[in-house]
Amino acid sequence: MIKKRGHLRTQIRQSAIALGLLSSAGSYAASPDTAGLTPCYTKGLADRLMCGSVEQPLSANNSEKISIHFAVIPAIKLVHPTEAIMAFAGGPGQSAIEVAAVFARVLRYAREERDIILVDQRGTGKSTLLQCDMDPLEAQFAFNDDALPIFEYSREETQKCKSKLNTDLSHFTTVAAASDFEAVRKALGYQKLHLFGASYGTRIAQEYMRRYPQAVASATLDGVVPMQQSLVAIGDAIDDSLQAIFSDCANKANCRGQYPQLEQQYQMLLTQLEAQPASVQVPHPRTHNTIPLVLTQSKVRSAIRMALYSHTSRALVPLAISEAAKGNYLPLVGLMGSDSGFGSLAMGMHSAIVCAEDWPLLTEQARARFSASYFGRMMIESLDASCPVWQVEAVGKDFYQPLSTDIPTLLLSGGLDPATPPGWAELAMVKMKNARHLVAEQATHGVAAQSCADKLVAEFINHTEPKELDAGCLEKTAVRRYFMNPNGPAVASQEP
């Protein structure tokens, strides 16, 4: 716990210097500092970070305290000692510290001159993790998720999780968390922050901008979630992103030749599995031990949905669909096994957000519109089952007002994004007076991670002039060629 606010940025600088000494001499060992920051490391990142925590009230009407943990990635060369980059993780439910390596890569150019602050939002990571029990992958594969109505299944799972967590999720909403980030800024002594939010992180970033505008020098929102829209609208984005693969394959001679009826195959596969799930033995996607799989249409939909998030997995979608339609489920199993991102989400915190902020937005008109898509319909049913069990207090109506600000703001969208499409950014920026929206037409979710936008973000942070950015390089977003067979994207032989 941090008990003092002075000298913390100096200690972060000393940590960076010590890292250099450690690399050259190999004999320096730092001891924990007296003001609360201690050297630490995180998975996938060789750099030494400085970690600490601040004590925050659980709520305004509660004397109970909660520890908010954070980490600082020191700048390569500190040019702006009074400024830092505050990175907000997605999900909702993701630990920012656990994905420090991702932020270090995405913000590597911005980090050249400024520190990066990562805060585990309350309910995630080390900040009172609200995680429900999850079945091992073997049990998930063997479970027939179409045998039990989603309403009944969601309600039962929610009851189990609520009993385990035994806490009021109303204390873990976006509104409740915003002051935690400000407390970290004050504890570290930075005068101004440059915000970088990704996916759901753009929502908490906007809330922070609204409440603490004096602390924000600029904001970059990558994969934008509008304040005035429910996340349930994601169903349309999923459908559009998958349809883009079908259309793209039909327009490319090689893909069209190998998969001439791809969309029809997909629909036929879903129809067959809805009528009768397939029970087969498959190799475990990581251990390769033989395990049972009950393949349902919902599992196929979920695997394809998650594959839409990156170009690497999108390239496998035509092959996975085509082979599954022939009875070969191995490519699809590979996609199912690679779905590890959502396993790291704190589902209790996730439920706090969606039940307090997204479920209340579901008017009858919104329900009718979002139910037109499969995932929209499933999400509504799931929320209708789980949110009454959680009994999270809904946020105030002012929460849904679009952010009105003159803070320099850069909004980034991927044209193929299956979660936060470009239209969402346009909706979010209706009252932003100094903002610019850039679209990378061939990018998926997280533009800065797959294009030149990482350099644009650094340039924007340095100059805070969104309209001056030259965004021509976004047209060069790399796209993977579709796999024509299990060996790769080479053109398949036309021989029988």
Side-chain angles (χ1 to χ4, degrees):
M1 177 184 71
I2 290 182
K3 298 180 180 179
K4 300 179 182 179
R5 294 182 179 179
H7 311 299
L8 297 190
R9 282 181 283 115
T10 301
Q11 292 158 11
I12 295 168
R13 300 279 61 73
Q14 292 171 345
S15 170
I17 295 171
L19 179 61
L21 292 174
L22 181 64
S23 299
S24 60
S27 60
Y28 181 85
S31 60
D33 55 77
T34 57
L37 287 179
T38 57
C40 59
Y41 293 88
T42 188
K43 182 179 179 181
L45 189 60
D47 304 60
R48 186 169 69 172
L49 284 59
M50 295 299 289
C51 291
S53 66
V54 294
E55 293 294 296
Q56 283 285 95
L58 182 62
S59 71
N61 303 317
N62 193 320
S63 60
E64 185 178 350
K65 299 288 186 178
I66 182 174
S67 294
I68 303 299
H69 289 257
F70 64 87
V72 180
I73 307 176
I76 302 301
K77 181 180 180 181
L78 187 63
V79 177
H80 306 280
T82 63
E83 298 181 2
I85 302 164
M86 178 80 82
F88 298 85
Q94 192 175 51
S95 159
I97 298 175
E98 287 180 5
V99 294
V102 176
F103 280 122
R105 183 175 69 252
V106 171
L107 297 171
R108 61 186 181 276
Y109 296 109
R111 181 196 171 191
E112 291 178 357
E113 299 182 355
R114 293 174 178 83
D115 298 334
I116 300 174
I117 308 171
L118 306 176
V119 180
D120 274 352
Q121 187 168 332
R122 56 171 61 196
T124 73
K126 296 181 179 180
S127 300
T128 311
L129 177 65
L130 300 180
Q131 183 58 282
C132 306
D133 293 329
M134 297 188 66
D135 292 330
L137 186 141
E138 293 87 346
Q140 295 178 39
F141 269 40
F143 178 60
N144 184 350
D145 52 357
D146 277 355
L148 191 66
I150 188 171
F151 187 92
E152 182 179 347
Y153 176 72
S154 296
R155 185 171 55 188
E156 289 181 1
E157 291 300 303
T158 302
Q159 290 283 9
K160 293 178 185 177
C161 189
K162 184 178 182 180
S163 298
K164 175 190 175 183
L165 298 181
N166 191 29
T167 189
D168 184 357
L169 296 190
S170 303
H171 303 318
F172 294 87
T173 64
T174 299
V175 173
S179 60
D180 300 337
F181 291 88
E182 176 66 356
V184 171
R185 180 192 71 83
K186 288 182 176 180
L188 291 171
Y190 296 104
Q191 295 178 12
K192 289 287 186 178
L193 296 179
H194 297 272
L195 310 185
F196 179 86
S199 195
Y200 160 76
T202 65
R203 178 184 283 180
I204 181 68
Q206 289 173 85
E207 180 66 12
Y208 184 89
M209 293 166 71
R210 177 151 53 197
R211 294 175 60 175
Y212 307 103
Q214 75 286 348
V216 183
S218 75
T220 300
L221 309 178
D222 189 353
V224 188
V225 177
M227 302 302 288
Q228 66 270 44
Q229 178 175 269
S230 171
L231 285 173
V232 177
I234 193 176
D236 292 337
I238 297 169
D239 291 347
D240 291 344
S241 185
L242 178 56
Q243 188 60 49
I245 289 182
F246 294 147
S247 298
D248 188 47
C249 185
N251 290 330
K252 291 181 177 177
N254 289 341
C255 191
R256 183 175 64 250
Q258 185 69 5
Y259 310 112
Q261 295 181 320
L262 184 62
E263 185 172 2
Q264 293 88 332
Q265 279 186 314
Y266 182 62
Q267 296 302 330
M268 289 177 60
L269 175 64
L270 296 178
T271 300
Q272 292 170 0
L273 294 176
E274 188 173 11
Q276 180 63 53
S279 297
V280 295
Q281 298 290 316
V282 297
H284 190 291
R286 291 189 282 274
T287 68
H288 301 293
N289 295 327
T290 301
I291 59 175
L293 166 66
V294 177
L295 186 64
T296 62
Q297 58 91 20
S298 60
K299 287 179 182 176
V300 171
R301 289 181 185 272
S302 295
I304 297 299
R305 173 200 170 185
M306 297 311 302
L308 300 175
Y309 276 74
S310 77
H311 284 297
T312 300
S313 50
R314 286 178 73 91
L316 291 165
V317 168
L319 175 68
I321 292 174
S322 179
E323 290 299 303
K326 301 172 186 176
N328 174 19
Y329 305 119
L330 294 184
L332 193 61
V333 168
L335 292 181
M336 294 169 65
S338 66
D339 177 16
S340 57
F342 274 74
S344 63
L345 293 185
M347 293 309 297
M349 180 272 197
H350 180 93
S351 297
I353 299 299
V354 296
C355 288
E357 301 167 16
D358 298 285
W359 188 53
L361 271 181
L362 294 179
T363 62
E364 289 304 316
Q365 182 180 9
R367 287 171 176 272
R369 180 159 61 92
F370 298 148
S371 292
S373 73
Y374 170 84
F375 282 104
R377 186 165 60 254
M378 293 300 102
M379 289 176 186
I380 290 173
E381 285 191 43
S382 179
L383 293 178
D384 285 346
S386 63
C387 291
V389 175
W390 284 119
Q391 295 182 322
V392 187
E393 184 179 346
V395 295
K397 292 184 178 180
D398 57 341
F399 176 80
Y400 302 112
Q401 294 299 314
L403 176 63
S404 177
T405 180
D406 57 4
I407 295 172
T409 305
L410 176 65
L411 301 91
L412 301 172
S413 297
L416 302 176
D417 193 333
T420 53
W424 288 27
E426 293 294 326
L427 188 61
M429 64 186 294
V430 291
K431 291 189 177 181
M432 295 181 183
K433 304 175 183 65
N434 188 16
R436 184 178 178 188
H437 179 207
L438 301 180
V439 180
E441 294 294 347
Q442 296 302 313
T444 57
H445 194 56
V447 177
Q450 54 186 291
S451 69
C452 68
D454 52 358
K455 293 183 179 180
L456 294 177
V457 171
E459 181 183 348
F460 170 61
I461 289 175
N462 283 332
H463 303 291
T464 64
E465 293 288 346
K467 294 179 174 58
E468 300 299 322
L469 294 173
D470 182 358
C473 63
L474 290 178
E475 299 175 3
K476 302 177 183 179
T477 305
V479 177
R480 301 292 182 93
R481 290 184 296 166
Y482 298 117
F483 273 56
M484 293 293 105
N485 55 53
N487 295 319
V491 179
S493 171
Q494 297 301 312
E495 296 178 1

